[in-house]
Amino acid sequence: MIELLRTNDPVTLSFVESLLKDAGIGCFVADTNMSIMEGSLGVLPRRILVEQDKLEAARRLMIDAGLEDQVS
């Protein structure tokens, strides 16, 4: 899996997960447990990963949603 974006913002994470799900693109949120271990202070960002063959479609979706500055 390839990193699509990295953020500390839980709203952005939820929004992106929802967009990807609606588009039929599977994703995995990495580093959730690390975020919990550091006390949920928002210091450690979480990453959204997608399958390599879906990466371009996912990037296009993020750009269309106005999140081009978030895309890796």
Side-chain angles (χ1 to χ4, degrees):
M1 297 192 90
I2 304 293
E3 182 178 319
L4 175 64
L5 67 88
R6 180 184 303 232
T7 185
N8 293 340
D9 185 356
V11 174
T12 300
L13 285 167
S14 179
F15 179 58
V16 170
E17 280 185 280
S18 178
L19 285 174
L20 292 171
K21 181 181 175 184
D22 288 347
I25 300 172
C27 70
F28 175 74
V29 180
D31 305 323
T32 300
N33 291 333
M34 291 302 293
S35 179
I36 291 168
M37 286 178 59
E38 55 94 11
S40 298
L41 297 173
V43 176
L44 298 173
R46 285 174 266 172
R47 298 173 292 145
I48 294 187
L49 308 174
V50 296
E51 293 178 16
Q52 188 164 357
D53 63 331
K54 304 285 186 179
L55 183 60
E56 287 307 315
R59 282 184 176 156
R60 174 59 42 204
L61 189 62
M62 297 302 98
I63 291 168
D64 291 346
L67 298 171
E68 57 274 350
D69 58 328
Q70 301 270 338
V71 176
S72 297

